[in-house]
Amino acid sequence: DADVTQTPRNRITKTGKRIMLECSQTKGHDRMYWYRQDPGLGLRLIYYSFDVKDINKGEISDGYSVSRQAQAKFSLSLESAIPNQTALYFCATSDPGTSGPPWGEQFFGPGTRLTVL
Amino acid sequence: GEDVEQSLFLSVREGDSSVINCTYTDSSSTYLYWYKQEPGAGLQLLTYIFSNMDMKQDQRLTVLLNKKDKHLSLRIADTQTGDSAIYFCAEIPPSGYSTLTFGKGTMLLVSP
């Protein structure tokens, strides 16, 4: 079974709809991240959480919100989706406290492809 | 702030060597990483180098680090069609509260 799972894998929605993307992990890691990937722009960090009580904005948090429901679960919400939020979204985890080197290694889910019409 | 730059595209023939280059700005980076993203998949760590090293070799992969010029490269020997993917360079400062900074990724296309 995959260590980091994302649901749904694909989603098509309309402008103005509320969307939630979910991420679950069985790695026991404290740190979780949400990224979006756009062609030619690479990966950009949206939000990250270093433990259940910690939430931090990343490079491009406007229009997004997150919830860390448990150590294993980190959800990303688009309150009112717009077309320029069409992208591939990745969840990742890390745990520098327990991982050997390289301690910054992140483990990625398979991604959610979101299309906003 | 931190920035990581890569060229966006590289095309090689099967059997040739591929060299993917990256420049970074944070001289305090502890580790520098190469991640690989195969089509339809998430990123996976391919290899890494600690900042006090100049070179690291791992089978067909050679990582070179020039700290003076803040330049990192990934050489893939005897490139195969299965090496076709997007390769991301990434860095992380030494603070325990830092996050990875990724480059925009280099798409490697290997033709038969």
Side-chain angles (χ1 to χ4, degrees):
Chain A
D1 288 338
D3 294 318
V4 184
T5 57
Q6 294 184 233
T7 55
R9 292 295 312 278
N10 288 282
R11 181 72 184 267
I12 300 173
T13 190
K14 295 183 178 179
T15 297
K17 294 291 187 181
R18 184 177 187 274
I19 295 296
M20 180 180 285
L21 308 183
E22 299 191 353
C23 177
S24 293
Q25 53 115 346
T26 58
K27 298 189 76 66
H29 288 174
D30 283 331
R31 299 186 179 191
M32 298 186 74
Y33 310 81
W34 275 106
Y35 294 91
R36 66 176 279 177
Q37 183 179 20
D38 300 274
L41 295 179
L43 258 67
R44 292 183 291 168
L45 184 62
I46 307 172
Y47 271 95
Y48 61 102
S49 169
F50 280 178
D51 64 43
V52 174
K53 297 179 182 178
D54 176 74
I55 300 288
N56 303 282
K57 292 183 177 180
E59 181 186 350
I60 53 160
S61 59
D62 287 349
Y64 301 95
S65 62
V66 291
S67 173
R68 185 80 185 266
Q69 301 96 321
Q71 186 200 42
K73 296 185 182 298
F74 193 35
S75 300
L76 176 71
S77 293
L78 288 69
E79 296 301 326
S80 180
I82 56 177
N84 78 359
Q85 291 177 314
T86 293
L88 189 53
Y89 289 84
F90 287 103
C91 174
T93 72
S94 72
D95 197 339
T98 58
S99 302
W103 59 268
E105 181 179 5
Q106 293 184 10
F107 298 84
F108 283 78
T112 293
R113 185 168 295 281
L114 177 66
T115 303
V116 183
L117 302 175
Chain B
E2 304 105 358
D3 199 11
V4 179
E5 298 287 341
Q6 302 177 238
S7 54
L8 293 183
F9 187 75
L10 176 65
S11 180
V12 300
R13 289 200 175 274
E14 193 172 24
D16 289 348
S17 291
S18 307
V19 179
I20 302 171
N21 294 300
C22 168
T23 57
Y24 61 97
T25 57
D26 191 341
S27 59
S28 68
S29 293
T30 309
Y31 286 103
L32 293 134
Y33 309 81
W34 285 103
Y35 278 80
K36 178 182 180 182
Q37 182 185 25
E38 296 184 351
L43 281 70
Q44 281 194 305
L45 183 66
L46 184 65
T47 187
Y48 66 95
I49 189 166
F50 190 52
S51 58
N52 68 353
M53 299 169 65
D54 298 325
M55 184 181 85
K56 179 180 180 183
Q57 188 143 5
D58 183 1
Q59 299 182 339
R60 293 190 296 122
L61 306 177
T62 304
V63 179
L64 296 177
L65 176 60
N66 181 329
K67 288 194 70 174
K68 175 176 171 290
D69 295 338
K70 297 179 188 164
H71 183 265
L72 182 73
S73 67
L74 173 69
R75 178 177 181 269
I76 306 173
D78 186 25
T79 313
Q80 304 297 307
T81 54
D83 294 322
S84 292
I86 302 176
Y87 291 81
F88 291 91
C89 171
E91 63 171 354
I92 190 165
S95 167
Y97 299 97
S98 300
T99 59
L100 284 174
T101 299
F102 288 90
K104 291 180 171 50
T106 299
M107 179 177 287
L108 173 65
L109 180 63
V110 183
S111 54

